[in-house]
Amino acid sequence: MTTSHILGYPRIGEQREMKFALEGYWRNELDQKTLKKVGKEIRHQGWSLQEDQGLTYTTAGDFAWYDHVLGTSLLLGHVPKRHQKGHPDLDTLFRIGRGQSQQGCDCVGQAASDMTKWFNTNYHYIVPEFSKDDKFEVSWNQLFEEVSEAQAGGYSVKPVLLGPISYLYLGKEVEEGFDRLSLLPRLLTAYQAILSKFEKLGVEWVQIDEPILALDLAPRWLESFRLAYQIIRSDVKVLLTTYFDSITDSLATITQLDVDGLHIDLCAAPDQLNDVVTALPSHWVLSAGMINGRNVWRSDLDGCLQRLQPVKAQLGERLWIGSSCSLLHSPVNLESETQLPPETQQWFAFAKQKVEEVKWLALALDGDEAALEYCQNYSHPIRARKHSSWVNKPQVKARIDSITNHCDKRSAGYNERAHHQKEVLKLPLLPTTTIGSFPQTGEVRQTRAAFKQGRLSQLQYERSIQSFIQDSVRRQEEIGLDVFVHGEAERNDMVEYFAEQLSGFQTTQFGWVQSYGSRCVKPAIVVADIERKKPMTVGWSQYAQSLTVKPMKGMLTGPVTILCWTFPREDITREDIANQLAFALKDEVKDLQQAGINIIQIDEPAIREGLPLKTSAHQEYLNWATKAFRISASSAKPETQIHTHMCYSEFNEIIDSVAALDADVITIETSRSNMDLLKAFEDFNYPNEIGPGVYDIHSPNVPSVEWIEKLLSVAAEKVPPERLWVNPDCGLKTRGWKETEQALKNMVEAAQSLRTRWS
């Protein structure tokens, strides 16, 4: 029989039960016992599904209270010194991830650890911090408790563990003159202890994730795998797990490792299959990741079957079937969607349905007649979609075909634009602003929900949103900001809002995916060619501008971010989708400036995230990604100031492309790194204006005036003060008004103080 399994299951719950439990706990409205009960219920739902679908192994250890990398840190007893307070526990984990565990705790002021993107996904992880004297010791028993819990439920358990080399690689040194790879021997001792515990629990297979094997690794990192897997060898069988790209370049090393099997991602890198099968050691199993864990499209099971049948004939029971990666990147259950059109609903599969796909594909490979017929019928809708009359639009194709080498150029260069903007905007030194969104209160969310449910008329809804805009403008006047935003009360999400306005998208009711901690996003799905039918933001921005003499920013989400934060089509290129979006946004920019909006922010927080894992593919992506942004801004007049915003990113490797965006002002998240990310801009001598985030909005901590002044002083050593803006490091949607106003008042006070000193 073909072994079947998945690499991981969503841990948020079908109705985001985990999100609400976590936030209740953080607000002291829920005790830890209740929180843990919710976590247990969610785990058992996933385990029960895998068992009911007949998967060979039930995956355990994939659950996380905040992030699985942070969970690994606690497992290893690896806690930043500033957060060490007795034996590591759940509150320790929350302090590292958030800066504090609950409201009113005694740890206020201790900075959260850095957070960054999990490879090229929109999931974030907490970056491990390494010092030369670090020690590792199994210190948190959650993983083993979950394995025992699953075993007690009668499940055949396959634990998941982040591998030692990937754990080290994904962290950072917090001391100079020190190489974190030197910690490997100490770390391996802890991993030996972990596998020993699994052995005592009667575990047969353990899934050890080493996703960095899909990267272009330096030789010293690649060679470290030999030592690691020789030392941690035990009687527990190891499935070495890779995903997100091909591993063919590392096969010579991988096949020498002391493991028992290999998992590969055949959705991200289908061409690697033949090379891997050829090189596979005779005693290894091969886990084929054929069911896409990162998209919502129904699998072409019949096509998968035809592709794998020759491999099955060659490997026999050594061929396993699984998801390409963890299903945490997928929404939970398509059955919850009651408002999707029947034609489009049959195109999709969420996590629950993907587990079923794994089952049917495995059965079909074993020759089960019912499964063979099921796979054939299951593939019909996704194949028929290619010929759907409303998916491919001639007018959109014609516009894309009109792209030339000059269609992405603004009418003037930066120096000329800067002169015009200075004359028109008349902004002070160190101008203060925010990134766009203001707190989404319960009243705001209830208003949008009432309108969607038909309980508010269009007129009532518009008047309500106008009242929220009035309130945000009043607050900004009182705070003393220099450039205002309208607050985005009408927007549920910075991408979903535009997906709802543009044709070519399908949105969902419950298609939530975890981004980090309790933060979930609901990506829209690109189902057809994209075009703008009417203005999307002009009315709200124009109304907000009418309330103040201060400049009001128009707020747009950039083409690459909309692409990266939605589930894309798989029948056309990502470049084509980005260009379709770019032309729609270009029309919006033109209408905004005609309505009197002289500052327009086109956010691109995902541009680094979209970078392919392989270096050889970087430049092609960056070329079309930056061009798409420039097309979006190309209708802006010289006096219209174009801003962009980028989230947690390592800019060093793409600084040329960041400059190539040709934005007049770029705002970036730098507070958690103590302005270290500005070094890339300093070394490059970045010519345009920069707004380094001066406080971390993901933490409830309110920064002091002195703290902000200190960060701005550090920034001024890297960027001339006349080119610095002052802003938080991201939107304020998730924060409360009390902390938001206090933080912004401190920010304005710090900017005004330094403005006086530096003028």
Side-chain angles (χ1 to χ4, degrees):
M1 300 292 290
T2 301
T3 297
S4 55
H5 70 125
I6 59 172
L7 270 59
Y9 197 72
R11 55 240 191 172
I12 59 173
E14 289 196 16
Q15 302 296 324
R16 293 182 293 161
E17 293 90 343
M18 196 71 247
K19 167 189 173 65
F20 301 120
L22 283 169
E23 293 174 358
Y25 179 72
W26 295 336
R27 291 192 299 266
N28 297 320
E29 297 170 357
L30 213 67
D31 61 25
Q32 194 171 116
K33 181 179 179 181
T34 306
L35 173 64
K36 288 185 174 181
K37 182 183 178 201
V38 173
K40 183 175 182 178
E41 290 171 351
I42 291 172
R43 289 195 296 272
H44 278 271
Q45 288 167 6
W47 295 341
S48 177
L49 170 65
Q50 295 169 62
E51 174 77 10
D52 291 346
Q53 290 301 322
L55 298 195
T56 311
Y57 290 108
T58 297
T59 303
D62 53 332
F63 178 82
W65 295 107
Y66 199 90
D67 156 53
H68 60 273
V69 181
L70 178 54
T72 304
S73 291
L74 259 70
L75 169 67
L76 298 166
H78 184 224
V79 175
K81 291 182 176 62
R82 64 187 178 280
H83 292 295
Q84 290 177 1
K85 185 180 179 183
H87 197 75
D89 59 14
L90 197 54
D91 284 330
T92 308
L93 184 144
F94 294 141
R95 288 199 299 270
I96 299 169
R98 304 179 65 243
Q100 64 180 48
S101 58
Q102 294 173 293
Q103 287 183 355
C105 76
D106 61 0
C107 55
V108 175
Q110 296 301 325
S113 289
D114 201 0
M115 181 168 64
T116 194
K117 295 293 176 70
W118 176 250
F119 296 88
N120 56 355
T121 75
N122 189 33
Y123 180 80
H124 301 67
Y125 73 92
I126 300 299
V127 180
E129 301 174 14
F130 294 111
S131 303
K132 63 178 180 295
D133 60 348
D134 281 347
K135 294 180 175 60
F136 306 94
E137 183 179 5
V138 177
S139 303
W140 199 42
N141 287 322
Q142 178 187 322
L143 174 60
F144 311 110
E145 291 169 354
E146 288 180 16
V147 171
S148 297
E149 182 184 322
Q151 290 174 328
Y155 303 109
S156 180
V157 179
K158 178 203 62 177
V160 178
L161 178 64
L162 180 62
I165 312 300
S166 291
Y167 178 72
L168 277 177
Y169 189 92
L170 294 169
K172 67 176 184 179
E173 294 94 349
V174 291
E175 295 178 351
E176 294 184 3
F178 153 71
D179 180 5
R180 62 188 182 277
L181 192 54
S182 66
L183 296 173
L184 182 58
R186 282 180 245 168
L187 180 60
L188 294 179
T189 300
Y191 271 80
Q192 284 177 313
I194 293 169
L195 292 181
S196 177
K197 285 179 176 287
F198 284 153
E199 188 176 341
K200 291 177 182 177
L201 288 170
V203 169
E204 180 185 11
W205 280 92
V206 59
Q207 171 189 318
I208 300 187
D209 288 3
E210 291 284 11
I212 67 167
L213 283 167
L215 303 176
D216 294 321
L217 291 176
R220 66 191 187 94
W221 281 98
L222 189 57
E223 285 301 313
S224 67
F225 279 89
R226 296 180 189 270
L227 171 67
Y229 284 86
Q230 181 181 1
I231 288 179
I232 68 172
R233 183 66 191 176
S234 73
D235 288 340
V236 178
K237 296 178 182 178
V238 171
L239 180 69
L240 185 70
T241 307
T242 68
Y243 36 82
F244 298 155
D245 213 320
S246 170
I247 58 163
T248 54
D249 292 342
S250 304
L251 263 179
T253 298
I254 292 172
T255 54
Q256 298 298 313
L257 301 181
D258 196 359
V259 298
D260 304 280
L262 175 66
H263 175 88
I264 57 174
D265 185 340
L266 292 172
C267 297
D271 293 341
Q272 65 180 318
L273 179 59
N274 291 338
D275 289 338
V276 172
V277 170
T278 300
L280 194 73
S282 60
H283 62 289
W284 282 19
V285 302
L286 174 63
S287 172
M290 292 296 292
I291 305 304
N292 196 343
R294 289 186 60 176
N295 213 331
V296 295
W297 296 99
R298 174 181 288 205
S299 297
D300 179 1
L301 290 182
D302 194 46
C304 294
L305 179 62
Q306 293 175 30
R307 183 137 192 250
L308 287 179
Q309 280 174 330
V311 182
K312 176 66 174 178
Q314 182 176 347
L315 298 181
E317 293 190 356
R318 292 167 54 216
L319 177 65
W320 292 16
I321 296 300
S323 56
S324 63
C325 60
S326 172
L327 299 180
L328 75 89
H329 306 289
S330 296
V332 182
N333 187 5
L334 184 62
E335 295 168 357
S336 301
E337 302 298 327
T338 60
Q339 298 178 10
L340 288 175
E343 182 179 11
T344 57
Q345 183 150 12
Q346 65 180 343
W347 295 342
F348 307 140
F350 292 178
K352 181 178 179 181
Q353 290 70 45
K354 291 177 186 294
V355 174
E356 297 175 22
E357 290 180 342
V358 171
K359 172 194 74 172
W360 286 113
L361 183 55
L363 289 173
L365 279 168
D366 290 334
D368 183 286
E369 291 187 7
L372 289 167
E373 182 179 359
Y374 180 90
C375 289
Q376 190 173 49
N377 293 333
Y378 190 80
S379 296
H380 285 164
I382 202 71
R383 290 179 173 178
R385 180 184 172 277
K386 297 177 182 178
H387 309 290
S388 176
S389 59
W390 60 273
V391 170
N392 302 293
K393 304 172 184 176
Q395 68 274 20
V396 175
K397 185 178 186 303
R399 201 168 188 190
I400 299 303
D401 290 343
S402 72
I403 292 177
T404 66
N405 291 332
H406 304 288
C407 70
D408 58 331
K409 301 294 190 293
R410 291 183 65 178
S411 60
Y414 170 72
N415 290 333
E416 182 180 344
R417 299 197 311 263
H419 173 75
H420 285 291
Q421 293 159 19
K422 185 176 181 180
E423 291 296 315
V424 170
L425 298 173
K426 302 185 184 331
L427 296 172
L429 181 71
L430 301 175
T432 56
T433 189
T434 64
I435 301 304
S437 59
F438 275 134
Q440 295 263 317
T441 63
E443 185 181 3
V444 169
R445 294 193 298 271
Q446 290 162 13
T447 297
R448 286 200 309 265
F451 176 61
K452 281 195 171 185
Q453 295 163 8
R455 293 184 284 111
L456 283 182
S457 68
Q458 181 73 35
L459 181 59
Q460 290 172 318
Y461 173 71
E462 289 178 357
R463 286 178 175 171
S464 293
I465 297 299
Q466 285 179 348
S467 71
F468 295 135
I469 293 174
Q470 291 172 10
D471 180 62
S472 71
V473 170
R474 176 188 60 79
R475 291 176 190 263
Q476 290 173 89
E477 295 277 12
E478 292 174 354
I479 291 167
L481 291 166
D482 299 307
V483 174
F484 286 11
V485 296
H486 77 285
E488 303 180 14
E490 79 286 4
R491 304 185 192 185
N492 45 5
D493 175 82
M494 65 181 291
V495 172
E496 186 178 31
Y497 175 80
F498 290 95
E500 291 174 339
Q501 308 293 315
L502 294 163
S503 71
F505 283 95
Q506 178 68 65
T507 57
T508 64
Q509 296 165 271
F510 305 106
W512 297 100
V513 178
Q514 185 183 27
S515 180
Y516 63 87
S518 68
R519 172 72 170 150
C520 298
V521 294
K522 186 153 61 71
I525 308 165
V526 184
V527 295
D529 286 341
I530 299 164
E531 57 185 341
R532 188 191 80 144
K533 296 295 188 181
K534 61 181 181 180
M536 302 176 286
T537 67
V538 175
W540 300 123
S541 294
Q542 193 172 30
Y543 175 73
Q545 184 64 83
S546 72
L547 302 175
T548 180
V549 297
K550 294 288 186 71
M552 180 69 58
K553 276 197 290 189
M555 301 300 304
L556 305 176
T557 303
V560 178
T561 296
I562 295 178
L563 167 66
C564 288
W565 291 359
T566 54
F567 293 114
R569 290 168 64 179
E570 295 179 339
D571 58 330
I572 63 174
T573 67
R574 295 169 71 231
E575 178 181 0
D576 282 344
I577 298 172
N579 284 332
Q580 291 175 9
L581 289 162
F583 277 111
L585 293 168
K586 175 181 179 179
D587 296 340
E588 188 74 8
V589 168
K590 181 178 180 181
D591 287 345
L592 277 168
Q593 63 184 357
Q594 287 178 346
I597 305 300
N598 292 321
I599 301 179
I600 301 172
Q601 184 169 307
I602 307 174
D603 287 337
E604 283 291 21
I607 198 162
R608 170 61 180 81
E609 168 190 317
L611 199 67
L613 298 189
K614 301 295 187 188
T615 306
S616 59
H618 285 187
Q619 198 55 54
E620 179 186 3
Y621 160 77
L622 291 168
N623 287 344
W624 62 253
T626 55
K627 185 164 187 172
F629 179 90
R630 292 194 302 270
I631 290 173
S632 304
S634 62
S635 58
K637 300 174 183 177
E639 59 268 28
T640 299
Q641 189 175 72
I642 296 294
H643 290 222
T644 192
H645 173 69
M646 293 184 178
C647 289
Y648 297 105
S649 293
E650 294 296 336
F651 293 106
N652 305 58
E653 58 193 290
I654 64 164
I655 189 65
D656 290 7
S657 297
V658 172
L661 295 173
D662 197 27
D664 299 303
V665 180
I666 179 173
T667 54
I668 56 177
E669 294 181 300
T670 55
S671 63
R672 284 200 182 195
S673 66
N674 198 35
M675 297 289 166
D676 285 349
L677 290 179
L678 279 182
K679 190 174 190 316
F681 293 86
E682 178 188 25
D683 294 343
F684 181 78
N685 194 23
Y686 183 76
N688 303 9
E689 297 178 36
I690 302 176
V694 295
Y695 77 90
D696 175 19
I697 68 90
H698 298 93
S699 170
N701 294 339
V702 173
S704 66
V705 174
E706 294 74 20
W707 171 264
I708 296 173
E709 286 185 3
K710 179 182 176 182
L711 284 180
L712 283 171
S713 297
V714 172
E717 295 173 359
K718 305 176 189 301
V719 178
E722 61 270 19
R723 290 199 284 114
L724 280 177
W725 283 64
V726 182
N727 45 262
D729 67 2
C730 203
L732 297 161
K733 173 182 176 180
T734 61
R735 302 266 56 95
W737 268 117
K738 182 178 179 181
E739 64 192 90
T740 292
E741 288 187 295
Q742 186 57 59
L744 290 179
K745 286 177 181 177
N746 290 354
M747 185 186 83
V748 168
E749 182 179 341
Q752 290 175 343
S753 174
L754 291 177
R755 189 180 296 161
T756 300
R757 282 185 254 163
W758 292 353
S759 294

